[in-house]
Amino acid sequence: MLIGAATLGLASSCGDDDNTDVWKEYADYREANDAFMAEQEALTDASGKAVYTKVIPAWNKNAYVLMRWFNDTTATEGNLRPLYTSTVDVKYYGRTYDDEPFDSSYLSLAPADSVVRFQVNGVVTGWAIAMERMHVGDSVEVLVPYAFGYGATAQGIIKPFSSLKFNIKLVDVAGEYVRP
């Protein structure tokens, strides 16, 4: 779903009057998504430390995702890290900002139980940003603003202007990679 929809999202956002109608129709939903992302970016733990790290890729200073690592990153920092052109094996669970589930690798049996394989440059921008920051073995929650997900395009049960939440575990990297 993620791979094919990335291309579809780009093709369908190429300037027509329907986007203006969608912008107006989903104004309240879009604003709720924007508020959710701002709230999460400002969220701190008991010690005052930010819960999420804002990750901005070198290749697009206007793009970002929010990431929270569930593992000790010092234990994985020497592991492989994917490039934009890498093929990765991941486990993931996807939901909209309001926790509506829409996709999961846990329904997959190939190439291994609950693992799916894709090219980093074949998915939505938010995933590519997150993948380039992860090392094999990392488990993260990634919050993708709608502009770096599917934008104004609906995808199945995903409404236009949906910010997305993913729990991702990077299992392996094939092809091109960075050895820290």
Side-chain angles (χ1 to χ4, degrees), residues 7 9 12 23 33 39 43 47 62 64 67-68 74 92 96 102 108 130 137-138 146 153 162 173-174:
T7 304
S12 66
W23 181 260
N33 277 267
E39 179 182 294
L43 201 62
S47 68
N62 295 315
Y64 77 96
M67 295 179 70
R68 174 174 53 168
T74 61
Y92 73 94
T96 57
F102 63 83
S108 175
D138 281 343
Y146 61 78
T153 305
S162 288
V173 178

Side-chain angles (χ1 to χ4, degrees), residues 101-120:
F102 63 83
D103 197 11
S104 175
S105 68
Y106 294 95
L107 305 173
S108 175
L109 298 176
D113 187 26
S114 302
V115 174
V116 293
R117 176 172 285 167
F118 60 84
Q119 282 195 275
V120 172

Side-chain angles (χ1 to χ4, degrees), residues 6 11 20 27 46-47 49 55 63 74-75 99 110 120 124 141 161 163 165 174:
T20 303
S47 68
K49 183 181 178 209
V55 176
T74 61
D99 285 325
V120 172
V124 296
E141 180 175 54
F161 306 109
S163 294
K165 295 165 62 171

Side-chain angles (χ1 to χ4, degrees), residues 44-166:
T44 58
D45 64 16
S47 68
K49 183 181 178 209
V51 171
Y52 292 96
T53 300
K54 187 172 188 176
V55 176
I56 301 170
W59 42 268
N60 184 346
K61 296 296 182 192
N62 295 315
Y64 77 96
V65 296
L66 300 177
M67 295 179 70
R68 174 174 53 168
W69 277 259
F70 294 121
N71 61 288
D72 177 1
T73 57
T74 61
T76 59
E77 67 187 353
N79 296 350
L80 298 178
R81 194 177 76 215
L83 297 170
Y84 188 69
T85 55
S86 295
T87 298
V88 294
D89 291 340
V90 299
K91 293 183 177 190
Y92 73 94
Y93 180 72
R95 338 181 272 298
T96 57
Y97 90 97
D98 54 357
D99 285 325
E100 183 69 33
F102 63 83
D103 197 11
S104 175
S105 68
Y106 294 95
L107 305 173
S108 175
L109 298 176
D113 187 26
S114 302
V115 174
V116 293
R117 176 172 285 167
F118 60 84
Q119 282 195 275
V120 172
N121 61 6
V123 295
V124 296
T125 301
W127 261 67
I129 295 167
M131 287 288 107
E132 289 184 321
R133 277 298 287 273
M134 295 177 70
H135 293 87
V136 170
D138 281 343
S139 291
V140 300
E141 180 175 54
V142 180
L143 305 181
V144 179
Y146 61 78
F148 309 112
Y150 298 115
T153 305
Q155 292 294 322
I157 67 166
I158 303 172
K159 297 176 188 173
F161 306 109
S162 288
S163 294
L164 307 172
K165 295 165 62 171
F166 292 98

